[in-house]
Amino acid sequence: MSPEGFTITAGELAERFGLVLHGDAARPVAGVGTLAAAGPAQLSFLANSKYRGQLAESRAGVVVVRGADAEGQDRTLLVAPDPYVAYSKIAALFEPVAANEPGIHPTAVVHAEAVVEDGASIGPLVVIGARSRIAAGASIGPGCVIGEDCDVGGGSTLVARVTLVRRVRLGQRVLVHPGAVLGADGFGIALDREGGEPHWIKVPQLGGVRVGDDCEIGANTTIDRGAIEDTVLEHDVRLDNQIQIAHNVRVGAHTAMAGCVAVAGSTTIGRYCMIGGAAGIAGHLEICDRVMVTAMSLVTHSIREPGEYSSGTPLMDSRSWRRNAVRYKQLDALARRLRLPTKGNE
Amino acid sequence: MSPEGFTITAGELAERFGLVLHGDAARPVAGVGTLAAAGPAQLSFLANSKYRGQLAESRAGVVVVRGADAEGQDRTLLVAPDPYVAYSKIAALFEPVAANEPGIHPTAVVHAEAVVEDGASIGPLVVIGARSRIAAGASIGPGCVIGEDCDVGGGSTLVARVTLVRRVRLGQRVLVHPGAVLGADGFGIALDREGGEPHWIKVPQLGGVRVGDDCEIGANTTIDRGAIEDTVLEHDVRLDNQIQIAHNVRVGAHTAMAGCVAVAGSTTIGRYCMIGGAAGIAGHLEICDRVMVTAMSLVTHSIREPGEYSSGTPLMDSRSWRRNAVRYKQLDALARRLRLPTKGNE
Amino acid sequence: MSPEGFTITAGELAERFGLVLHGDAARPVAGVGTLAAAGPAQLSFLANSKYRGQLAESRAGVVVVRGADAEGQDRTLLVAPDPYVAYSKIAALFEPVAANEPGIHPTAVVHAEAVVEDGASIGPLVVIGARSRIAAGASIGPGCVIGEDCDVGGGSTLVARVTLVRRVRLGQRVLVHPGAVLGADGFGIALDREGGEPHWIKVPQLGGVRVGDDCEIGANTTIDRGAIEDTVLEHDVRLDNQIQIAHNVRVGAHTAMAGCVAVAGSTTIGRYCMIGGAAGIAGHLEICDRVMVTAMSLVTHSIREPGEYSSGTPLMDSRSWRRNAVRYKQLDALARRLRLPTKGNE
């Protein structure tokens, strides 16, 4: 799993990443592994002291730990304030990097009015539309389709089969995974009651999508372009797979969302928020900074205080669940019988 | 954001769209914008009288309003019964239209038994399979894959990277966004208990998908083909992104669904329904016309009365939520203690 | 809907599939249909005795039934222990099979270090990366992208526009539908608080994805590769559309999931589980064999007993729902007023 034959010593790792070494500086590391599976030539990490028992049993040659977990250990350790962060940086050394050669693959179809800067890599079977620009150092993987008036910044990577529909501007070092679709029409429809049976007409979607530096966008995630102004992701926003970001949404810097989150139109989300998997956020809301939403919760009103928010009910065996769930329809009757005012204890 | 240099006067707009003009007929409009951002050369709209305060502060050259909101205003206005509808029609004039030239791009791979009518546009790197037909005036964008026995009607557009797997028939003026997959196998499996350990066998999916005129299908939405007969969308159905329509479903005309809705197999949904984001609809149900379902609700039984339906619990701070949610397991005990019959007030 | 002109008699079907024939052995079958729609030349089935009334009215030439439903019927029947299973096998005879010719389409782009075995079929506009292998008898449909170090087993089919990003190994007879993305980066991020404002760094995703024999993976489903070790689907796992399987998840043999399920990272799911549509399963859990989860439930703790599990609330008209839902915030107050201990009846 490591680049062919690459090794580095524990001492070199300590120096490169500013970590404190305990033990054998000369111990070679040729890869990484879990505490349970790593062997003497591999490095592992202990992020949570709760699992300290696994440390004793681990055959890993080197382990990254917190200072408190290093005490009394007679093995080669690298001490870090945040072992998971340190591990991540070390593990990156062992990640095989696909070589994206600069230049335009002969099977790519690049519009005459598109600009591909020297040093950009355009993979096989890519399509690039009019007035789009791919910066030097950007990499457009196989099967991507880039429409009109898009801009991909330096160091950004579209892994494969990504679509930027129209007026999508990516900053630098943005990573977009396969199947993602950015800049499709926002879902704007208006019911036209004049002339014949009422029918929908389309509200033109004249805005674009703007994605800041260092964002990551997961596989099959969709981000629609704005109706009039842009849909915006500020920098360092991290989106997992199959997330839906509707038109006119604005997501603040450093906010992360787990898979399958849905954010409805024109909602603004703050910085450093963490949205749990499959949560929903209704439209036209404002969520302040540092809000956490637990998995599958539905946010139906604006949130003005940092903190963690939830909705939903606990899991039960279905028989118990049916018996209790049917009573949910009587909750108001129950409360009235107990003479609870509508606004009571929460 | 407007096609190069295009302008039109307020008077011309009034005449073209049958609106009542207040003020300066000669005022030129070169684009559209929000009330907050539009300048003197742009048109905006006020759809909701609640935001009438924004009208006074807006620098927009022309504003589309309801009659009641026009009173006492000393500026150029266009009065419409539904300003949002009128705005939508006007804004379409300023939408840059991508030129899809008729003809087959040289990199497209068209089966010898496929029919591409004169005047259809087949983009780069498109694949069209045997016995499929693309009508005159249809546009198949870059990277689309059309399998066998499909039919795309006149004026329909597959934006890019759309897949029509097999036996998919689209009417006229259907718009399909990138990543959508129509006509994949319905999820039909049967547990075979004969011979060895029980294992799944596949139920052949012999039907197709039929999509009526003027439908819109969002990015990464999936519509499976029927097991025996077809999965059907009647005309003017509007689907947002990442919706899942299972096999044998039938969706009535003019029904709209927000992003991430999931409809299970063999359910029939009426006309003019509106299904909120991430709602779920179980299989084998019948939903009548004009039903609204709020976001993230789960429909588990047929609905025979028009109206709005919901399930779920309100959002709380997680500490309060935990305290209350655990009591959900005691709801039946609570109700019994109060001697509420099982079928009580709802 | 049947392959041109193919017919088979009821007697031949009985013999081929080991079924008991009642009636006319010579009756020709040229296709299949529902009980309601099938005509004299078509076969249908009655899986559920509840619908036995439809049998009397059906014009189907041959019907597959249970023994109990055959009694007293004066028509041509095939008796099977499980009519749905028998029907599925018979219907497969009438499924038009797309001819995937062996060989590499001239528009495919195959890396010099990739191995395409003789007898594999590589469709138009496919990309295959370095060190990937496509076994004899595998079929890679139009527009698929296969990255580095992947392996597709014999008899496996990637229908169209499937992406295998990296280190994805598919067993034999695996079927993957369009838009699916296997082997994208797992969603691993760590907040780096050193140097400047806290920002996310990426945790390298060094594992792969392993998919056992006879699995099926739905349209636009995503399965991320593992952080260190592999994400695993054992054999005969059946996934519907738009499912999200996060990194390090392990799904046991014969487990089936309906559309839009989301499984968070590092969770292990047992064998023969059935997960309802749009259900969520939190991360780092263990779910034992033969667990059923109803639609849209959220699993937040490990499950050690087989059985059916649910969460959520019943659907109501929105007016009733609002009245009751607001009381959910008072549930704990209600319970305390009734002096219910926190751990009470469930």
Side-chain angles (χ1 to χ4, degrees):
Chain A
M1 227 157 12
S2 60
E4 195 77 43
F6 173 76
T7 63
I8 187 167
T9 65
E12 287 166 329
L13 287 171
E15 190 177 336
R16 183 174 325 195
F17 295 106
L19 308 172
V20 177
L21 173 76
H22 288 216
D24 179 9
R27 181 171 279 273
V29 173
V32 299
T34 59
L35 278 176
Q42 291 177 303
L43 172 143
S44 192
F45 68 101
L46 176 68
N48 189 333
S49 301
K50 194 169 74 177
Y51 300 113
R52 197 168 163 178
Q54 293 181 22
L55 180 57
E57 290 167 27
S58 178
R59 295 171 52 245
V62 181
V63 183
V64 188
V65 297
R66 278 205 178 69
D69 292 321
E71 282 165 31
Q73 297 285 335
D74 182 26
R75 56 191 308 163
T76 302
L77 299 173
L78 291 168
V79 177
D82 185 333
Y84 193 43
V85 167
Y87 160 79
S88 298
K89 293 175 179 173
I90 293 168
L93 303 176
F94 297 97
E95 197 169 23
V97 176
N100 293 312
E101 288 165 34
I104 302 176
H105 194 277
T107 60
V109 178
V110 179
H111 195 279
E113 294 173 47
V115 175
V116 176
E117 294 186 359
D118 283 353
S121 170
I122 311 296
L125 305 172
V126 164
V127 178
I128 301 180
R131 297 174 306 280
S132 284
R133 183 191 78 113
I134 313 301
S139 173
I140 311 298
C144 291
V145 173
I146 296 178
E148 296 77 32
D149 301 297
C150 294
D151 195 295
V152 178
S156 289
T157 299
L158 279 54
V159 173
R161 273 189 50 238
V162 168
T163 308
L164 308 184
V165 181
R166 183 171 295 165
R167 294 191 289 281
V168 178
R169 279 166 290 158
L170 307 183
Q172 300 193 48
R173 298 171 303 280
V174 173
L175 176 58
V176 189
H177 293 287
V181 177
L182 281 69
D185 289 10
F187 191 59
I189 54 177
L191 195 65
D192 188 352
R193 297 171 187 279
E194 293 171 35
E197 63 178 7
H199 61 279
W200 297 107
I201 63 168
K202 201 167 160 57
V203 182
Q205 301 293 305
L206 304 169
V209 174
R210 248 181 313 135
V211 176
D213 296 341
D214 299 301
C215 288
E216 181 168 357
I217 294 165
N220 285 352
T221 282
T222 51
I223 305 177
D224 281 351
R225 63 179 200 270
I228 296 182
E229 299 175 343
D230 290 344
T231 303
V232 177
L233 268 58
E234 295 178 3
H235 67 276
D236 196 30
V237 170
R238 306 287 172 146
L239 302 186
D240 195 359
N241 297 347
Q242 299 203 38
I243 288 171
Q244 153 72 356
I245 305 287
H247 57 177
N248 314 324
V249 165
R250 185 174 190 103
V251 182
H254 312 297
T255 282
M257 301 190 193
C260 305
V261 166
V263 183
S266 302
T267 279
T268 296
I269 298 174
R271 292 158 55 96
Y272 291 109
C273 292
M274 297 184 68
I275 313 298
I281 303 184
H284 296 272
L285 304 183
E286 297 196 15
I287 313 294
C288 68
D289 292 353
R290 297 181 190 278
V291 166
M292 297 179 67
V293 176
T294 58
M296 267 177 92
S297 298
L298 176 63
V299 180
T300 49
H301 55 73
S302 291
I303 298 180
R304 313 208 184 279
E305 291 292 325
E308 191 183 272
Y309 295 84
S310 301
S311 71
T313 72
L315 191 78
M316 287 177 263
D317 70 90
S318 295
R319 203 163 143 268
S320 302
W321 174 78
R322 272 183 217 104
R323 211 170 53 221
N324 287 296
V326 70
R327 299 296 196 170
Y328 189 70
K329 298 183 176 186
Q330 302 177 321
L331 251 187
D332 186 45
L334 273 167
R336 278 187 283 117
R337 199 166 280 206
L338 288 172
R339 297 194 164 69
L340 244 67
T342 306
K343 295 278 178 192
N345 277 16
E346 296 202 359
Chain B
M1 223 157 19
S2 59
E4 193 78 42
F6 172 76
T7 63
I8 186 166
T9 65
E12 287 165 330
L13 288 172
E15 190 178 336
R16 187 183 312 200
F17 295 107
L19 308 173
V20 177
L21 174 74
H22 288 216
D24 178 10
R27 181 172 278 274
V29 173
V32 299
T34 60
L35 278 176
Q42 290 178 302
L43 173 143
S44 192
F45 68 102
L46 176 68
N48 190 333
S49 301
K50 195 168 73 177
Y51 300 113
R52 197 167 163 179
Q54 292 181 23
L55 180 56
E57 290 167 25
S58 178
R59 293 170 53 246
V62 181
V63 183
V64 188
V65 297
R66 279 204 177 70
D69 292 321
E71 283 165 29
Q73 297 285 335
D74 181 27
R75 56 191 307 163
T76 302
L77 300 174
L78 292 168
V79 177
D82 186 333
Y84 193 44
V85 167
Y87 161 79
S88 298
K89 293 175 179 172
I90 293 168
L93 302 177
F94 298 97
E95 197 169 24
V97 177
N100 293 311
E101 290 167 32
I104 301 176
H105 193 276
T107 59
V109 179
V110 179
H111 195 280
E113 294 173 49
V115 174
V116 176
E117 295 186 0
D118 283 354
S121 170
I122 311 297
L125 304 173
V126 164
V127 178
I128 301 180
R131 298 173 306 281
S132 284
R133 183 191 78 113
I134 313 300
S139 172
I140 311 299
C144 290
V145 174
I146 297 178
E148 296 78 34
D149 302 296
C150 294
D151 195 295
V152 178
S156 288
T157 299
L158 279 54
V159 174
R161 272 188 51 238
V162 168
T163 308
L164 308 184
V165 181
R166 183 170 294 165
R167 295 190 290 280
V168 178
R169 280 166 290 159
L170 307 183
Q172 299 193 47
R173 297 172 304 279
V174 173
L175 176 57
V176 189
H177 293 288
V181 178
L182 280 69
D185 290 9
F187 191 59
I189 54 177
L191 195 65
D192 189 351
R193 297 171 187 279
E194 292 171 35
E197 63 178 7
H199 61 279
W200 297 107
I201 64 168
K202 201 166 160 56
V203 182
Q205 301 295 305
L206 304 169
V209 173
R210 247 181 315 134
V211 176
D213 296 341
D214 299 301
C215 287
E216 181 168 358
I217 294 165
N220 285 352
T221 281
T222 51
I223 305 177
D224 280 352
R225 62 178 200 270
I228 295 182
E229 299 176 344
D230 290 342
T231 304
V232 177
L233 268 58
E234 296 177 3
H235 67 276
D236 196 29
V237 170
R238 305 287 172 146
L239 303 186
D240 195 358
N241 297 346
Q242 299 203 38
I243 288 171
Q244 152 71 357
I245 306 287
H247 58 177
N248 315 323
V249 166
R250 184 173 191 104
V251 182
H254 312 297
T255 282
M257 301 190 193
C260 304
V261 166
V263 183
S266 302
T267 280
T268 296
I269 298 173
R271 292 158 56 97
Y272 290 109
C273 293
M274 297 185 69
I275 313 299
I281 303 185
H284 297 272
L285 304 183
E286 298 195 14
I287 313 294
C288 68
D289 293 353
R290 297 182 189 277
V291 166
M292 297 179 67
V293 176
T294 58
M296 267 178 92
S297 297
L298 176 62
V299 180
T300 49
H301 55 74
S302 291
I303 299 179
R304 312 207 185 279
E305 292 292 324
E308 189 183 273
Y309 295 84
S310 301
S311 70
T313 73
L315 190 78
M316 287 177 262
D317 70 271
S318 295
R319 202 163 144 268
S320 302
W321 173 79
R322 272 183 216 103
R323 211 170 53 222
N324 287 297
V326 70
R327 299 295 196 171
Y328 189 71
K329 298 183 175 185
Q330 303 177 321
L331 251 188
D332 186 45
L334 273 168
R336 277 186 284 116
R337 198 165 281 205
L338 289 172
R339 296 193 165 71
L340 246 67
T342 306
K343 293 279 180 192
N345 278 17
E346 295 201 1
Chain C
M1 226 157 18
S2 60
E4 195 77 42
F6 172 76
T7 63
I8 187 167
T9 65
E12 287 167 328
L13 287 171
E15 191 178 335
R16 185 180 315 198
F17 294 107
L19 308 173
V20 177
L21 174 74
H22 288 216
D24 179 9
R27 181 171 279 273
V29 174
V32 298
T34 59
L35 278 176
Q42 290 178 303
L43 173 142
S44 192
F45 68 102
L46 176 68
N48 189 333
S49 301
K50 194 168 73 176
Y51 301 112
R52 198 168 163 179
Q54 293 180 21
L55 181 56
E57 290 167 27
S58 178
R59 294 169 53 246
V62 181
V63 183
V64 189
V65 298
R66 279 206 176 69
D69 293 320
E71 282 166 30
Q73 298 285 336
D74 182 26
R75 57 191 306 163
T76 302
L77 301 173
L78 292 168
V79 177
D82 186 333
Y84 193 44
V85 167
Y87 159 79
S88 298
K89 292 176 179 172
I90 293 167
L93 302 176
F94 298 97
E95 198 169 23
V97 177
N100 294 312
E101 289 166 32
I104 302 175
H105 194 276
T107 59
V109 178
V110 179
H111 194 279
E113 293 173 50
V115 175
V116 176
E117 294 186 359
D118 284 353
S121 169
I122 310 297
L125 305 172
V126 164
V127 178
I128 301 180
R131 297 173 306 280
S132 285
R133 183 191 77 113
I134 313 300
S139 172
I140 310 299
C144 290
V145 173
I146 297 178
E148 295 79 32
D149 302 295
C150 294
D151 194 296
V152 178
S156 288
T157 298
L158 279 54
V159 174
R161 272 190 51 238
V162 168
T163 308
L164 309 184
V165 182
R166 181 172 295 164
R167 294 190 289 281
V168 178
R169 279 167 290 158
L170 307 183
Q172 299 194 48
R173 298 171 304 280
V174 173
L175 176 57
V176 189
H177 293 287
V181 178
L182 280 69
D185 290 9
F187 191 59
I189 53 176
L191 195 65
D192 189 351
R193 297 171 188 279
E194 291 170 37
E197 63 179 8
H199 60 279
W200 297 106
I201 63 168
K202 201 167 160 57
V203 182
Q205 301 294 306
L206 304 169
V209 173
R210 248 181 314 135
V211 176
D213 296 341
D214 299 301
C215 288
E216 181 169 358
I217 293 165
N220 285 354
T221 282
T222 51
I223 305 177
D224 281 351
R225 63 180 200 269
I228 295 181
E229 299 176 344
D230 290 344
T231 303
V232 177
L233 268 57
E234 294 177 4
H235 67 275
D236 196 30
V237 170
R238 306 286 172 147
L239 303 186
D240 195 358
N241 297 347
Q242 298 204 37
I243 288 171
Q244 153 72 354
I245 306 287
H247 57 177
N248 314 323
V249 165
R250 185 175 191 103
V251 182
H254 311 297
T255 283
M257 302 190 193
C260 305
V261 166
V263 183
S266 302
T267 279
T268 296
I269 298 174
R271 291 158 56 97
Y272 291 110
C273 292
M274 297 183 70
I275 313 298
I281 303 184
H284 297 273
L285 305 183
E286 297 196 15
I287 313 294
C288 69
D289 293 352
R290 298 182 189 278
V291 166
M292 296 179 69
V293 176
T294 59
M296 267 178 93
S297 297
L298 176 62
V299 180
T300 49
H301 55 74
S302 291
I303 298 179
R304 312 206 185 279
E305 292 293 324
E308 190 183 271
Y309 295 84
S310 302
S311 70
T313 73
L315 190 78
M316 288 177 262
D317 69 271
S318 295
R319 202 164 143 268
S320 301
W321 174 78
R322 271 183 217 103
R323 211 170 54 221
N324 288 296
V326 70
R327 300 294 197 172
Y328 189 70
K329 298 183 176 185
Q330 302 177 321
L331 251 187
D332 186 44
L334 273 167
R336 277 186 284 116
R337 199 167 280 206
L338 288 172
R339 295 193 167 71
L340 245 67
T342 306
K343 295 279 181 191
N345 278 16
E346 299 202 0

